[in-house]
Amino acid sequence: MIYVIQTLVDAVSVGAVYALSALGIGLLFGVMRLVNFAQGEFVTIGIYTLMLTVGLWFPLAAILTVLVVVLLALLADRLAFKPVRDADPATMLITSFALSYLLQNVLVLIFGARPIGFNIIPELGLPVMIGEIRIPRLNILTICVAVGLLTGIALFLRRTRIGIEMRAAAVDFRMARLLGIKGDRVIAVAFALTGVLSAVVAVLFAAQTGTAAPTYGLQLALVGFVATVIGGMGSLVGAVFGGMIVGVVTVCLQALLPPELRVFREAFVYAVVIAILVLRPDGLFQGVGSRERV
């Protein structure tokens, strides 16, 4: 029983990181119908920023990481995506791939391709004892941060003017603009929120792995995209649930599979993903992904 509880806490912790990653992809897709694979590099640059500032007071290093990643996201919107915003969706997708590989190779040129180890707060690895159950502090922190951030974004989208404008733009971008909503501002805020989510994922992921490598973000972006598809393209609630499902399934398979089959864990995970999509081709939640982008 103790092992089951510890495994579930680990699963929820990993799922929380995946949920935040998927939510960042879902936000941009909802507003722009853009699957931004360059978001993975936003996470990677956040990890390297944290690595370079790890000697500072941790809250200051985390704030600097958020600022750098948000600025990068806004620059990406301004320089890379705005010029092709009215182009074919395939053009925007290729642009995101191109930006992803550009940023990844710049990181390789600066830092090299090998992982670099660093330690954020050693105390986060210590366990919290609840009876006989040992739960790492990092898992508790990850779950609390994810819940707080998801709640904050939900309130932002429902209670603020710009949040309501973003939701309107996600339903019908053209009509929203005709009603006086400034499309550029809505898209800029969506990119900024994506930057915040990417920075938080970077901090949590760096705390879990203790290393920085140019390919880490791409892995998280792919997982986030899969989670978004499972949840339903265009559904933010679906993106969060999709991320949780992928995280929980991944950790549970790691715990339940025989040792000789654990190397094939990812294959089993994507088999579960295929099974879900066979049963629910449009995802678990109905989104606005099938509507035309303008």
Side-chain angles (χ1 to χ4, degrees), residues 85-128:
R85 192 175 294 169
D86 297 321
D88 187 89
T91 302
M92 297 183 68
L93 182 63
I94 295 300
T95 301
S96 76
F97 271 116
L99 180 61
S100 171
Y101 282 104
L102 172 64
L103 294 175
Q104 186 178 134
N105 282 278
V106 168
L107 290 173
V108 171
L109 287 173
I110 295 175
F111 299 102
R114 294 183 178 180
I116 302 174
F118 65 101
N119 202 349
I120 299 178
I121 302 179
E123 291 78 10
L124 289 177
L126 299 176
V128 173

Side-chain angles (χ1 to χ4, degrees), residues 75-87 91-92 95:
L75 286 175
D77 171 42
R78 184 72 176 181
L79 300 178
F81 293 110
K82 188 174 182 179
V84 298
R85 192 175 294 169
D86 297 321
T91 302
M92 297 183 68
T95 301

Side-chain angles (χ1 to χ4, degrees), residues 240-274:
V240 173
F241 273 91
M244 290 298 301
I245 289 171
V246 174
V248 169
V249 170
T250 299
V251 174
C252 289
L253 285 175
Q254 180 68 26
L256 297 176
L257 286 175
E260 62 273 13
L261 293 179
R262 288 176 185 171
V263 293
F264 304 107
R265 182 190 65 183
E266 301 301 324
F268 287 102
V269 170
Y270 286 105
V272 173
V273 170
I274 292 172

Side-chain angles (χ1 to χ4, degrees), residues 96-165:
S96 76
F97 271 116
L99 180 61
S100 171
Y101 282 104
L102 172 64
L103 294 175
Q104 186 178 134
N105 282 278
V106 168
L107 290 173
V108 171
L109 287 173
I110 295 175
F111 299 102
R114 294 183 178 180
I116 302 174
F118 65 101
N119 202 349
I120 299 178
I121 302 179
E123 291 78 10
L124 289 177
L126 299 176
V128 173
M129 300 300 298
I130 304 177
E132 297 182 0
I133 302 173
R134 299 166 59 91
I135 301 175
R137 295 179 182 179
L138 180 57
N139 287 0
I140 298 175
L141 176 64
T142 299
I143 295 171
C144 292
V145 169
V147 170
L149 190 57
L150 292 173
T151 302
I153 290 179
L155 292 175
F156 173 81
L157 292 174
R158 292 182 177 275
R159 301 291 178 86
T160 67
R161 179 182 178 86
I162 185 63
I164 295 172
E165 290 177 351

Side-chain angles (χ1 to χ4, degrees), residues 5 32 34 43 109 112 126 163 221 253 258:
I5 295 175
M32 296 179 64
L34 167 65
V43 175
L109 287 173
L126 299 176
L253 285 175

Side-chain angles (χ1 to χ4, degrees), residues 57-77:
W57 184 44
F58 175 72
L60 178 59
I63 291 172
L64 288 174
T65 300
V66 172
L67 291 177
V68 168
V69 178
V70 169
L71 179 60
L72 174 65
L74 292 175
L75 286 175
D77 171 42

